[in-house]
mmCIF file of all heavy atoms in Angstrom:
data_model
loop_
_atom_site.group_PDB
_atom_site.id
_atom_site.type_symbol
_atom_site.label_atom_id
_atom_site.label_comp_id
_atom_site.label_asym_id
_atom_site.label_seq_id
_atom_site.Cartn_x
_atom_site.Cartn_y
_atom_site.Cartn_z
ATOM 1 N N ASP A 29 16.251 -5.219 3.121
ATOM 2 C CA ASP A 29 16.447 -6.647 3.382
ATOM 3 C C ASP A 29 15.145 -7.377 3.721
ATOM 4 O O ASP A 29 15.163 -8.562 4.051
ATOM 5 C CB ASP A 29 17.439 -6.827 4.539
ATOM 6 C CG ASP A 29 18.801 -6.228 4.222
ATOM 7 O OD1 ASP A 29 19.267 -6.422 3.082
ATOM 8 O OD2 ASP A 29 19.378 -5.558 5.099
ATOM 9 N N LEU A 30 14.012 -6.665 3.638
ATOM 10 C CA LEU A 30 12.745 -7.265 4.013
ATOM 11 C C LEU A 30 11.829 -7.550 2.827
ATOM 12 O O LEU A 30 10.760 -8.134 3.003
ATOM 13 C CB LEU A 30 12.008 -6.350 5.015
ATOM 14 C CG LEU A 30 12.646 -6.221 6.398
ATOM 15 C CD1 LEU A 30 11.899 -5.181 7.240
ATOM 16 C CD2 LEU A 30 12.638 -7.580 7.118
ATOM 17 N N LEU A 31 12.232 -7.143 1.626
ATOM 18 C CA LEU A 31 11.398 -7.401 0.449
ATOM 19 C C LEU A 31 11.146 -8.900 0.288
ATOM 20 O O LEU A 31 12.070 -9.708 0.348
ATOM 21 C CB LEU A 31 12.057 -6.846 -0.806
ATOM 22 C CG LEU A 31 11.841 -5.350 -1.069
ATOM 23 C CD1 LEU A 31 12.768 -4.863 -2.172
ATOM 24 C CD2 LEU A 31 10.391 -5.070 -1.430
ATOM 25 N N GLY A 32 9.884 -9.243 0.124
ATOM 26 C CA GLY A 32 9.496 -10.644 -0.012
ATOM 27 C C GLY A 32 9.283 -11.355 1.305
ATOM 28 O O GLY A 32 8.918 -12.537 1.314
ATOM 29 N N LYS A 33 9.470 -10.635 2.412
ATOM 30 C CA LYS A 33 9.329 -11.252 3.732
ATOM 31 C C LYS A 33 8.087 -10.736 4.453
ATOM 32 O O LYS A 33 7.584 -9.648 4.170
ATOM 33 C CB LYS A 33 10.576 -10.972 4.581
ATOM 34 C CG LYS A 33 11.849 -11.580 3.997
ATOM 35 C CD LYS A 33 13.050 -11.291 4.872
ATOM 36 C CE LYS A 33 14.322 -11.904 4.271
ATOM 37 N NZ LYS A 33 15.520 -11.593 5.091
ATOM 38 N N GLU A 34 7.619 -11.524 5.405
ATOM 39 C CA GLU A 34 6.442 -11.151 6.181
ATOM 40 C C GLU A 34 6.824 -10.071 7.192
ATOM 41 O O GLU A 34 7.755 -10.234 7.973
ATOM 42 C CB GLU A 34 5.879 -12.373 6.904
ATOM 43 C CG GLU A 34 4.577 -12.106 7.636
ATOM 44 C CD GLU A 34 3.989 -13.355 8.261
ATOM 45 O OE1 GLU A 34 3.970 -14.405 7.576
ATOM 46 O OE2 GLU A 34 3.571 -13.284 9.432
ATOM 47 N N VAL A 35 6.087 -8.953 7.165
ATOM 48 C CA VAL A 35 6.375 -7.844 8.075
ATOM 49 C C VAL A 35 5.168 -7.465 8.920
ATOM 50 O O VAL A 35 5.260 -6.613 9.802
ATOM 51 C CB VAL A 35 6.857 -6.600 7.292
ATOM 52 C CG1 VAL A 35 8.192 -6.870 6.620
ATOM 53 C CG2 VAL A 35 5.814 -6.132 6.286
ATOM 54 N N ALA A 36 4.017 -8.098 8.658
ATOM 55 C CA ALA A 36 2.786 -7.771 9.371
ATOM 56 C C ALA A 36 1.851 -8.972 9.306
ATOM 57 O O ALA A 36 2.073 -9.904 8.520
ATOM 58 C CB ALA A 36 2.123 -6.545 8.741
ATOM 59 N N PRO A 37 0.783 -8.983 10.099
ATOM 60 C CA PRO A 37 -0.206 -10.066 9.991
ATOM 61 C C PRO A 37 -0.802 -10.123 8.586
ATOM 62 O O PRO A 37 -0.839 -9.125 7.862
ATOM 63 C CB PRO A 37 -1.274 -9.663 11.023
ATOM 64 C CG PRO A 37 -0.546 -8.805 12.005
ATOM 65 C CD PRO A 37 0.472 -8.051 11.207
ATOM 66 N N GLU A 38 -1.305 -11.286 8.199
ATOM 67 C CA GLU A 38 -1.750 -11.494 6.818
ATOM 68 C C GLU A 38 -2.963 -10.648 6.447
ATOM 69 O O GLU A 38 -3.256 -10.461 5.265
ATOM 70 C CB GLU A 38 -2.047 -12.987 6.574
ATOM 71 C CG GLU A 38 -3.043 -13.621 7.516
ATOM 72 C CD GLU A 38 -4.482 -13.429 7.064
ATOM 73 O OE1 GLU A 38 -4.665 -13.214 5.848
ATOM 74 O OE2 GLU A 38 -5.392 -13.489 7.903
ATOM 75 N N TYR A 39 -3.654 -10.074 7.429
ATOM 76 C CA TYR A 39 -4.820 -9.239 7.133
ATOM 77 C C TYR A 39 -4.443 -7.759 6.956
ATOM 78 O O TYR A 39 -5.321 -6.898 6.882
ATOM 79 C CB TYR A 39 -5.890 -9.381 8.225
ATOM 80 C CG TYR A 39 -5.358 -9.335 9.639
ATOM 81 C CD1 TYR A 39 -5.058 -8.124 10.273
ATOM 82 C CD2 TYR A 39 -5.148 -10.515 10.357
ATOM 83 C CE1 TYR A 39 -4.583 -8.083 11.559
ATOM 84 C CE2 TYR A 39 -4.657 -10.490 11.653
ATOM 85 C CZ TYR A 39 -4.377 -9.274 12.253
ATOM 86 O OH TYR A 39 -3.893 -9.231 13.544
ATOM 87 N N VAL A 40 -3.137 -7.469 6.860
ATOM 88 C CA VAL A 40 -2.673 -6.087 6.694
ATOM 89 C C VAL A 40 -2.137 -5.880 5.277
ATOM 90 O O VAL A 40 -1.238 -6.595 4.834
ATOM 91 C CB VAL A 40 -1.574 -5.743 7.718
ATOM 92 C CG1 VAL A 40 -0.990 -4.355 7.442
ATOM 93 C CG2 VAL A 40 -2.131 -5.808 9.138
ATOM 94 N N THR A 41 -2.705 -4.908 4.565
ATOM 95 C CA THR A 41 -2.227 -4.518 3.240
ATOM 96 C C THR A 41 -2.085 -3.004 3.192
ATOM 97 O O THR A 41 -2.993 -2.278 3.589
ATOM 98 C CB THR A 41 -3.191 -4.983 2.130
ATOM 99 O OG1 THR A 41 -3.187 -6.421 2.079
ATOM 100 C CG2 THR A 41 -2.783 -4.436 0.767
ATOM 101 N N MET A 42 -0.926 -2.546 2.718
ATOM 102 C CA MET A 42 -0.659 -1.111 2.596
ATOM 103 C C MET A 42 -0.332 -0.798 1.145
ATOM 104 O O MET A 42 0.522 -1.452 0.540
ATOM 105 C CB MET A 42 0.507 -0.712 3.504
ATOM 106 C CG MET A 42 0.810 0.780 3.511
ATOM 107 S SD MET A 42 2.193 1.161 4.629
ATOM 108 C CE MET A 42 3.328 1.939 3.480
ATOM 109 N N SER A 43 -1.018 0.192 0.582
ATOM 110 C CA SER A 43 -0.904 0.474 -0.854
ATOM 111 C C SER A 43 -0.467 1.906 -1.129
ATOM 112 O O SER A 43 -0.580 2.794 -0.285
ATOM 113 C CB SER A 43 -2.256 0.230 -1.544
ATOM 114 O OG SER A 43 -2.727 -1.075 -1.296
ATOM 115 N N GLU A 44 0.013 2.101 -2.338
ATOM 116 C CA GLU A 44 0.265 3.424 -2.915
ATOM 117 C C GLU A 44 -0.528 3.431 -4.200
ATOM 118 O O GLU A 44 -0.141 2.806 -5.185
ATOM 119 C CB GLU A 44 1.762 3.593 -3.215
ATOM 120 C CG GLU A 44 2.418 4.741 -2.499
ATOM 121 C CD GLU A 44 2.035 6.090 -3.056
ATOM 122 O OE1 GLU A 44 1.850 6.214 -4.268
ATOM 123 O OE2 GLU A 44 1.920 7.033 -2.263
ATOM 124 N N ARG A 45 -1.674 4.131 -4.198
ATOM 125 C CA ARG A 45 -2.560 3.969 -5.352
ATOM 126 C C ARG A 45 -3.446 5.190 -5.562
ATOM 127 O O ARG A 45 -3.507 6.090 -4.725
ATOM 128 C CB ARG A 45 -3.430 2.724 -5.181
ATOM 129 C CG ARG A 45 -4.394 2.756 -3.992
ATOM 130 C CD ARG A 45 -5.291 1.519 -4.031
ATOM 131 N NE ARG A 45 -6.185 1.403 -2.883
ATOM 132 C CZ ARG A 45 -7.385 1.989 -2.801
ATOM 133 N NH1 ARG A 45 -7.796 2.782 -3.768
ATOM 134 N NH2 ARG A 45 -8.149 1.806 -1.736
ATOM 135 N N ILE A 46 -4.116 5.177 -6.706
ATOM 136 C CA ILE A 46 -5.115 6.198 -6.977
ATOM 137 C C ILE A 46 -6.297 5.977 -6.036
ATOM 138 O O ILE A 46 -6.779 4.857 -5.882
ATOM 139 C CB ILE A 46 -5.585 6.125 -8.448
ATOM 140 C CG1 ILE A 46 -4.393 6.347 -9.397
ATOM 141 C CG2 ILE A 46 -6.683 7.156 -8.708
ATOM 142 C CD1 ILE A 46 -3.698 7.681 -9.224
ATOM 143 N N VAL A 47 -6.750 7.048 -5.397
ATOM 144 C CA VAL A 47 -7.825 6.983 -4.417
ATOM 145 C C VAL A 47 -8.873 8.029 -4.793
ATOM 146 O O VAL A 47 -8.520 9.123 -5.249
ATOM 147 C CB VAL A 47 -7.296 7.274 -2.994
ATOM 148 C CG1 VAL A 47 -8.421 7.206 -1.970
ATOM 149 C CG2 VAL A 47 -6.194 6.305 -2.620
ATOM 150 N N GLU A 48 -10.130 7.716 -4.610
ATOM 151 C CA GLU A 48 -11.183 8.692 -4.851
ATOM 152 C C GLU A 48 -10.918 9.954 -4.033
ATOM 153 O O GLU A 48 -10.818 9.908 -2.807
ATOM 154 C CB GLU A 48 -12.543 8.094 -4.456
ATOM 155 C CG GLU A 48 -13.704 9.058 -4.558
ATOM 156 C CD GLU A 48 -14.053 9.424 -5.992
ATOM 157 O OE1 GLU A 48 -13.771 8.624 -6.903
ATOM 158 O OE2 GLU A 48 -14.611 10.520 -6.195
ATOM 159 N N GLY A 49 -10.736 11.076 -4.714
ATOM 160 C CA GLY A 49 -10.467 12.335 -4.037
ATOM 161 C C GLY A 49 -9.034 12.513 -3.588
ATOM 162 O O GLY A 49 -8.712 13.495 -2.914
ATOM 163 N N GLY A 50 -8.148 11.602 -3.955
ATOM 164 C CA GLY A 50 -6.754 11.670 -3.497
ATOM 165 C C GLY A 50 -6.034 12.907 -4.013
ATOM 166 O O GLY A 50 -6.154 13.277 -5.181
ATOM 167 N N PHE A 51 -5.251 13.528 -3.129
ATOM 168 C CA PHE A 51 -4.524 14.753 -3.481
ATOM 169 C C PHE A 51 -3.316 14.445 -4.362
ATOM 170 O O PHE A 51 -2.755 15.334 -4.989
ATOM 171 C CB PHE A 51 -4.074 15.458 -2.198
ATOM 172 C CG PHE A 51 -3.997 16.955 -2.295
ATOM 173 C CD1 PHE A 51 -4.478 17.639 -3.394
ATOM 174 C CD2 PHE A 51 -3.439 17.684 -1.264
ATOM 175 C CE1 PHE A 51 -4.410 19.026 -3.473
ATOM 176 C CE2 PHE A 51 -3.368 19.071 -1.330
ATOM 177 C CZ PHE A 51 -3.857 19.742 -2.429
ATOM 178 N N GLY A 52 -2.907 13.179 -4.421
ATOM 179 C CA GLY A 52 -1.761 12.799 -5.230
ATOM 180 C C GLY A 52 -2.135 12.131 -6.544
ATOM 181 O O GLY A 52 -1.279 11.596 -7.243
ATOM 182 N N ASN A 53 -3.417 12.160 -6.898
ATOM 183 C CA ASN A 53 -3.877 11.490 -8.120
ATOM 184 C C ASN A 53 -3.286 12.115 -9.383
ATOM 185 O O ASN A 53 -3.138 13.335 -9.475
ATOM 186 C CB ASN A 53 -5.404 11.560 -8.223
ATOM 187 C CG ASN A 53 -6.108 10.637 -7.248
ATOM 188 O OD1 ASN A 53 -5.477 9.838 -6.565
ATOM 189 N ND2 ASN A 53 -7.424 10.746 -7.172
ATOM 190 N N ASP A 54 -2.963 11.290 -10.359
ATOM 191 C CA ASP A 54 -2.542 11.740 -11.676
ATOM 192 C C ASP A 54 -2.578 10.540 -12.617
ATOM 193 O O ASP A 54 -2.626 9.386 -12.160
ATOM 194 C CB ASP A 54 -1.140 12.340 -11.655
ATOM 195 C CG ASP A 54 -0.928 13.383 -12.754
ATOM 196 O OD1 ASP A 54 -1.690 13.357 -13.746
ATOM 197 O OD2 ASP A 54 -0.013 14.210 -12.626
ATOM 198 N N LYS A 55 -2.523 10.786 -13.914
ATOM 199 C CA LYS A 55 -2.528 9.707 -14.900
ATOM 200 C C LYS A 55 -1.111 9.286 -15.261
ATOM 201 O O LYS A 55 -0.843 8.101 -15.479
ATOM 202 C CB LYS A 55 -3.280 10.149 -16.158
ATOM 203 C CG LYS A 55 -3.494 9.030 -17.164
ATOM 204 C CD LYS A 55 -4.367 9.489 -18.330
ATOM 205 C CE LYS A 55 -4.578 8.348 -19.327
ATOM 206 N NZ LYS A 55 -5.428 8.773 -20.477
#
C-alpha cells in the first residue's frame, strides 16, 4: 500500500542493481 508514496527523506535512495564486485551480479 506504499508504492508511489514517500517512505523516507528525499535524500534517501535504495537500489537493487549491478554493483562493482557484487556477489549477485549477472547479465
